[in-house]
């Protein structure tokens, strides 16, 4: 909602400037969005007169003008076709910011001639959308007069109207609240009735009173329609409205001045003598249609209020939204029918949503126009039309009955202090409510009746809010809340601590957390070893979410597929949440699941197995962070899990019955069933299978760590190449070698795998790097040879022999 300062002063006697008004509005609860002050923008610009104009010596389309300005005689280069001697226009000095061009003027030569300023067009001052030349002003204007005074521009205040305050959609309503807030006396002129000279020849019939409870109108004969006077055009243009003609501009003016939308019909274009307010009608060919004033055709449905002529047969308008093109007013209009009605807010709002048709009238009727303004709005419009267009009015005809005014209720003024803390005298409370339009009957208790335009006020608490915002929220007492003893803070359980640690660790490794449903489709659950009938939901929230998930993997796979479909195939996701085992109905366990979809740029060498081993390293790092006994974990090839790819998956366990984690590449067949493209790698940790950490480990508490055991001797390495059966896991050999001497052997790593000439069929060559860490003294050759013997002996127990 926008309005100008001068418009406000037609209703409020105040000397406050625009910024003071905006501050008062904010204090009174009106949310000001912007104060646009064109006066400040036009401050550098003044009136000037061209003394002479000669062709530029180096350009045929430019002229060198000698201009009389507020700064004296200036030489200015101008390219406008209408620049000529004697023309009065607007001058911009060097250093002025030209809003229409978005530039600040600097002194520089134009084709060899220095221009000492600029002569401006309307578009360059943002007074018009476009212009053909510089402004041409009246000859009697004094040189040096401010441009803001010449064009009559003034500040415009723009504020947001809350849905419960439709009375703020008129300047009179804003002035009422500001007067109550003490900004000045309210001076809104009363509306005097305009007597009719003859009976109204148009009758009104209400066939849908639930859509239009009351409809009033009158005929005005002999009007002369045409452009509005300058004052009305300026008033509408200042707030962003386009002037159309005098009749339409009057209705727009009253809509913004009194929050009372109106509509005017060309009487000679109406068929018959009866206007009908009804719902939309349909036939075998579909719903009827209306060509509205915006030139578009809209279907009309039964829940929409339609204004029809010809005895109710032809639609000529959408009640509360927009009139029809067939009865619109133009310069040839001589007789009009002026409409003022009240339309149901919910029906009007729904009509606007269904048709995507929004107008100033629809915006106001959808929020609730004052029912008591039906006839006064008609009288005010009649007065203005007679002043601007002449004519002779008929009597007013009214059909139906306006909704009843809000009912009064008991109010104890002491509740103001009880609810807000404001200790105000009772006469001050009564004065505030009275200034806002409430009828206050003092007594024991008081009885307060809201005005017809305040249907949002339903009880004492609403009145307290009104008193508090007018008295000023800054006057509310600052009373500290009583001290309350703080309850003891909770302590995270080891499981909760592990979940928090895992979330942070995975995020640090570059994974993004996903939060998905704990449900999945039963067919998907079957793919991952679930789908037990006992885990099928009786009342699922969606058909594709009818089973408790046995794993988080399918949800992450589908999330990765959705990202890939939108151009982001390379993702790393994780989720920590519950899973439900099909063979243990009701047994809920917590899983930590991570998935990567490596889609590096194509390369001749291929992606290889680097991503899988990187994922394995991240899994081990996470387990170590969570305090799992990583050194005791057994690496076993994946078995009986159809969603893992054979040969590229494994599991970590603490014995055959305690599986801590599974990881590897997902099977292409499983990915295809979920409409996903590979490759995808993942791991899933059963958090409940990890033993509780000891004190000082992740998730535990209590004792601090002991001193670090840092040896003071340099480590040394020895490499071994063993021949071993190809079916033997490398981890078994690594574990056997590491156990040959737990005191001296610090680490064992596989650094090469070879199959080919020199290696017997069915065997593989595994190269191990063994790190030896002496503790008390540097190892001698004899000690190293003895340790080598222990290593080869431990490997021999697995059938491994040193490669010759």
């Amino acid at each position: 909602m926008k309005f100008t300062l001068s418009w406000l002063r037609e209703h409020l006697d105040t000397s406050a400037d625009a910024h003071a008004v905006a501050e008062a509005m904010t204090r009174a609860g009106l949310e000001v969005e912007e104060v646009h002050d064109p006066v400040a923008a036009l401050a550098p610009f003044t009136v000037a007169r061209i003394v002479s104009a000669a062709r530029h010596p180096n350009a045929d389309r430019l002229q060198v003008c000698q201009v009389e300005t507020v700064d004296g005689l200036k030489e200015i280069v101008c390219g406008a076709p209408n620049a000529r001697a004697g023309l009065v226009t607007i001058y911009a000095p060097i250093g002025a910011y030209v809003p229409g061009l978005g530039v600040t003027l600097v002194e520089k030569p134009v084709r060899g001639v220095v221009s000492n300023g600029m002569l401006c067009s309307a578009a360059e001052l943002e007074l018009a959308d476009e212009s053909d030349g510089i402004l041409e002003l009246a000859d009697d204007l004094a040189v040096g007069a401010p441009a803001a005074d010449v064009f009559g521009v003034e500040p415009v205040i723009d504020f947001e109207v809350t849905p419960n305050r439709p009375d703020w959609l008129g300047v009179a309503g804003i002035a009422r609240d500001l007067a109550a807030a003490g900004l000045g006396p309210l001076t809104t002129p009363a509306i005097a009735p305009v007597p009719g000279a003859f009976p109204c020849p148009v009758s009104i019939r209400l066939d849908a009173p639930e859509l239009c409870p009351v409809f009033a109108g009158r005929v005005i004969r002999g009007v002369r329609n045409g452009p509005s006077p300058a004052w009305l055009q300026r008033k509408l243009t200042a707030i962003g409205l386009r002037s159309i003609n005098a009749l339409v501009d009057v209705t727009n003016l009253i809509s913004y001045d009194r929050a009372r939308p109106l509509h005017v019909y060309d009487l000679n274009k109406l068929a018959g003598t009866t206007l009908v307010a009804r719902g939309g009608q349909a036939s075998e060919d579909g719903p009827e249609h209306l060509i509205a004033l915006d030139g578009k055709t809209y279907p009309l449905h039964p829940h929409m209020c339609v204004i029809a002529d010809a005895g109710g047969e032809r639609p000529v308008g959408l009640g509360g939204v927009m009139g029809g093109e067939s009865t619109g007013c133009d310069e040839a209009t001589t007789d009009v029918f002026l409409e003022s009605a009240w339309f149901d807010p919910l029906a009007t709002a729904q009509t606007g949503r269904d048709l995507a048709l929004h107008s100033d009238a629809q915006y106001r009727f959808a929020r609730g126009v004052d029912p008591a303004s039906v006839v006064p709005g008609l009288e005010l419009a009649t007065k203005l039309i007679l002043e601007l267009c002449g004519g002779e009015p008929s009597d007013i005809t009214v059909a139906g009955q306006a909704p009843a005014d809000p009912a009064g209720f008991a109010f104890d003024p002491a509740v103001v202090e009880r609810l807000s803390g404001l200790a105000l005298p009772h006469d001050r409370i009564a004065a505030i409510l009275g200034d806002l339009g409430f009828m206050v009957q003092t007594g024991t208790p008081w009885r307060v009746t809201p005005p017809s335009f305040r249907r949002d006020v339903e009880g004492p608490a609403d009145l307290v809010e009104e008193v508090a915002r007018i008295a000023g929220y800054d006057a509310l007492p600052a009373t500290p809340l009583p001290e309350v003893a703080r309850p003891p803070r909770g302590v995270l359980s080891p499981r909760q601590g592990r979940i928090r640690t895992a979330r942070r660790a995975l995020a640090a490794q570059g994974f993004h957390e996903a939060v998905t449903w704990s449900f999945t489709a039963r067919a998907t659950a079957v793919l991952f070893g679930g789908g037990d009938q006992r885990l099928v939901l009786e009342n699922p929230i969606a058909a594709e979410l009818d089973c408790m998930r046995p794993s988080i993997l399918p949800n992450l796979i589908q999330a990765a597929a959705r990202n890939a479909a939108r151009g982001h195939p390379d993702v790393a996701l994780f989720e920590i949440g519950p899973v439900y085992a099909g063979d243990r109905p009701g047994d809920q366990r917590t899983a930590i699941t991570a998935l990567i979809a490596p889609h590096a740029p194509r390369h001749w060498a291929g992606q290889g197995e680097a991503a899988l081993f990187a994922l394995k390293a991240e899994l081990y790092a996470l387990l170590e962070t969570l305090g799992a006994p990583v050194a005791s974990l057994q690496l076993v090839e994946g078995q009986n899990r159809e969603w893992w790819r054979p040969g590229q998956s494994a599991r970590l366990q603490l014995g055959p019955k305690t599986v801590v984690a599974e990881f590897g590449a997902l099977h292409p067949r499983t990915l295809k069933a979920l409409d996903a493209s590979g490759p995808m790698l993942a791991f899933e940790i059963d958090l409940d299978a990890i033993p509780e950490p000891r004190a000082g480990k992740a998730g535990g508490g209590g004792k601090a760590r002991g001193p670090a055991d840092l040896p003071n001797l340099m480590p040394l390495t020895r490499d071994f190449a063993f021949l071993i059966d190809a079916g033997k896991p490398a981890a078994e050999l690594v574990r056997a070698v590491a156990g040959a001497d737990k005191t001296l052997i610090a680490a064992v790593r596989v650094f090469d795998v070879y199959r080919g000439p020199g290696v017997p069929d069915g065997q593989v060559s595994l190269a191990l790097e063994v790190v030896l860490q002496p503790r008390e003294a540097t190892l001698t050759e004899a000690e190293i040879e003895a340790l080598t013997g222990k290593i080869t002996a431990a490997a021999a127990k697995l059938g491994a022999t040193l490669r010759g």
Side-chain angles (χ1 to χ4, degrees):
M1 173 67 187
K2 297 180 180 180
F3 63 93
T4 61
L5 188 59
S6 64
W7 198 338
L8 177 68
R9 287 172 176 164
E10 295 176 8
H11 298 271
L12 185 71
D13 185 6
T14 181
S15 59
D17 61 16
H19 294 283
V21 169
E23 290 179 5
M25 291 174 65
T26 301
R27 289 195 301 269
L30 289 83
E31 182 182 350
V32 176
E33 292 190 337
E34 180 187 12
V35 177
H36 176 62
D37 191 357
V39 177
L42 292 177
F45 303 91
T46 55
V47 172
R49 185 186 305 274
I50 301 177
V51 177
S52 64
R55 194 175 69 177
H56 193 290
N58 301 319
D60 292 339
R61 296 186 179 182
L62 298 178
Q63 297 188 75
V64 179
C65 302
Q66 303 301 320
V67 184
E68 183 185 359
T69 73
V70 69
D71 300 321
L73 193 65
K74 295 287 184 179
E75 186 172 73
I76 298 175
V77 178
C78 180
N82 61 332
R84 62 186 184 274
L87 179 67
V88 177
T89 186
I90 295 296
Y91 155 73
I94 297 298
Y97 176 78
V98 183
L101 299 179
V103 298
T104 300
L105 298 181
V106 295
E107 185 176 329
K108 66 178 181 179
V110 179
R111 294 288 185 94
V113 177
V114 175
S115 182
N116 299 287
M118 177 179 178
L119 303 179
C120 302
S121 68
E124 289 161 346
L125 297 181
E126 293 188 337
L127 299 174
D129 294 333
E130 57 184 19
S131 51
D132 296 330
I134 58 177
L135 285 158
E136 298 190 22
L137 305 178
D139 294 339
D140 58 351
L141 288 175
V143 171
D149 294 345
V150 173
F151 301 114
V153 296
E154 58 177 321
V156 177
I157 299 174
D158 185 6
F159 74 103
E160 185 68 28
V161 179
T162 55
N164 66 316
R165 293 302 304 271
D167 57 307
W168 283 346
L169 290 169
V171 180
I174 303 166
R176 182 189 303 110
D177 277 33
L178 292 178
L183 203 64
L186 187 66
T187 59
T188 299
I191 300 175
V194 178
F198 57 92
C200 182
V202 177
S203 61
I204 301 168
R205 191 176 79 231
L206 302 181
D207 288 353
E210 71 281 2
L211 300 177
C212 177
V214 60
F215 192 123
R218 79 187 322 166
V219 168
I220 305 177
R221 296 189 305 210
V223 300
R224 297 179 304 279
N225 195 20
S228 296
W231 67 266
L232 180 52
Q233 292 189 37
R234 284 197 303 268
K235 182 173 287 191
L236 297 179
T237 303
I239 62 172
L241 295 182
R242 180 173 59 91
S243 176
I244 300 174
N245 56 55
L247 291 172
V248 176
D249 289 355
V250 165
T251 62
N252 287 335
L253 175 68
I254 296 175
S255 182
Y256 276 81
D257 188 73
R258 302 297 177 101
R260 162 37 64 183
L262 304 163
H263 186 64
V264 59
Y265 301 86
D266 189 322
L267 183 64
N268 295 321
K269 296 178 182 179
L270 289 173
T273 59
T274 302
L275 281 180
V276 180
R278 58 171 174 82
Q281 297 176 350
S283 63
E284 295 179 356
D285 299 329
E288 59 182 343
H289 290 77
L290 170 73
I291 302 177
L293 285 171
D294 61 2
K296 298 179 181 179
T297 302
Y298 298 96
L300 307 177
H301 300 285
H303 66 275
M304 302 176 182
C305 184
V306 175
I307 308 301
D309 64 0
E313 293 298 321
R314 185 183 69 152
V316 295
L318 261 173
V321 181
M322 186 175 288
E325 185 179 67
S326 61
T327 56
C329 295
D330 51 35
E331 292 187 0
T333 299
T334 57
D335 302 327
V336 298
F337 178 79
L338 188 59
E339 166 200 294
S340 180
W342 193 87
F343 300 99
D344 179 71
L346 294 180
T348 307
Q350 189 63 47
T351 299
R353 284 193 293 267
D354 291 348
L355 301 180
L357 176 56
H358 305 286
S359 63
D360 286 341
Q362 190 268 348
Y363 185 78
R364 284 161 172 76
F365 278 116
R367 283 156 177 75
V369 172
D370 180 9
S373 67
V374 171
V375 173
L378 200 60
E379 299 280 18
L380 181 57
T382 302
K383 175 179 178 294
L384 289 173
I385 290 174
L386 294 180
E387 290 177 357
L388 301 181
C389 305
E392 184 181 34
S394 73
D395 295 333
I396 293 177
T397 180
V398 181
Q401 187 173 3
D405 290 341
F409 50 84
F411 177 68
D412 182 0
V415 78
V416 171
E417 184 174 5
R418 182 168 63 84
L419 293 184
S420 70
L422 287 172
L424 298 176
H426 289 186
D427 57 349
R428 171 63 174 148
I429 296 173
I432 290 175
L433 295 176
D435 290 342
L436 293 175
F438 293 86
M439 181 183 295
V440 180
Q441 295 174 309
T442 57
T444 307
W446 289 9
R447 184 166 185 83
V448 179
T449 304
S452 59
F453 52 82
R454 291 302 307 274
R455 295 177 180 272
D456 60 307
V457 176
E458 298 178 346
D462 296 324
L463 296 180
V464 173
E465 181 182 359
E466 294 300 300
V467 172
R469 71 181 182 87
I470 297 300
Y473 291 127
D474 53 349
L476 294 175
T479 305
L481 294 173
E483 286 289 337
V484 178
R486 295 184 178 182
R489 298 180 63 184
V491 178
L492 294 178
S493 66
R495 177 177 169 276
Q496 291 171 327
R498 279 177 163 171
I499 290 175
R500 175 180 291 184
T501 300
R503 181 174 287 113
R504 292 176 176 174
L506 287 167
Q509 291 174 1
F511 288 85
H512 291 82
E513 185 172 10
V515 180
T516 66
W517 294 105
S518 294
F519 321 116
T520 188
R522 188 180 183 188
T524 302
V526 171
L527 291 175
F528 289 82
D532 189 284
Q533 179 61 39
R534 289 167 293 184
L535 295 180
V536 176
L537 302 175
E538 293 183 0
N539 186 25
I541 60 174
E544 66 275 11
L545 299 173
D546 61 344
C547 185
M548 306 302 292
R549 64 182 181 188
S551 169
I552 300 177
L553 278 173
N555 291 0
L556 294 186
I557 292 171
Q558 291 170 330
R562 286 192 295 272
N563 278 273
R566 289 160 176 80
H568 302 282
D570 195 2
V571 297
L573 305 173
F574 81 91
E575 181 175 358
I576 304 175
V579 294
Y580 307 86
D583 56 345
R584 296 192 300 271
D587 184 6
Q588 174 179 320
R589 301 177 70 81
T590 300
I592 304 173
T593 306
L595 177 142
I596 61 173
H599 287 74
R602 292 185 296 175
H603 192 269
W604 62 269
Q607 294 187 14
E609 299 178 346
L612 180 58
F613 285 102
L615 182 74
K616 176 185 175 184
E618 290 169 341
L619 170 60
Y620 270 89
L622 177 59
L623 289 172
E624 188 170 1
T625 303
L626 295 177
V630 176
S632 303
L633 291 175
Q634 302 171 3
L635 181 67
V636 181
E637 186 176 354
Q639 300 174 0
N640 301 324
R641 298 290 195 182
E642 297 181 356
W643 56 92
W644 296 114
R645 190 164 189 168
Q648 297 184 28
S649 60
R651 65 184 183 187
L652 299 175
Q653 61 185 35
L654 292 169
K657 295 184 179 181
T658 306
V659 178
V660 174
E662 294 182 348
F663 70 96
L666 291 162
H667 202 293
R669 181 174 59 247
T670 301
L671 297 179
K672 184 177 180 181
L674 296 177
D675 198 21
S677 299
M680 290 189 186
L681 314 174
F683 65 74
E684 192 156 32
I685 300 173
D686 185 351
L687 185 61
D688 300 315
I690 301 177
E692 289 292 330
R694 292 176 295 175
K697 297 292 184 180
K703 297 180 180 179
R705 289 184 177 183
D709 182 15
L710 301 177
N712 56 1
L713 298 174
M714 291 291 293
L716 67 153
T717 62
R718 287 292 183 269
D719 295 343
F720 297 85
F722 291 104
L723 294 174
I724 192 170
D725 291 340
K728 282 281 187 181
E732 293 186 14
L733 180 60
V734 170
R735 194 161 44 246
V737 171
D741 191 325
K742 295 183 179 180
T743 303
L744 292 177
I745 297 177
V748 180
R749 291 186 288 269
V750 178
F751 68 87
D752 186 51
V753 180
Y754 173 72
R755 295 180 180 87
V759 176
D761 292 340
Q763 290 192 320
V764 65
S765 173
L766 293 180
L768 305 183
E769 179 188 56
V770 180
V771 180
L772 306 179
Q773 178 61 65
R775 295 286 177 175
E776 297 178 357
T778 302
L779 296 177
T780 64
E781 287 294 331
E783 291 172 329
I784 294 175
E785 288 296 330
L787 183 57
T788 300
K790 290 182 181 181
I791 291 173
T792 54
K797 294 180 181 179
L798 292 178
T801 60
L802 278 175
R803 182 180 172 192

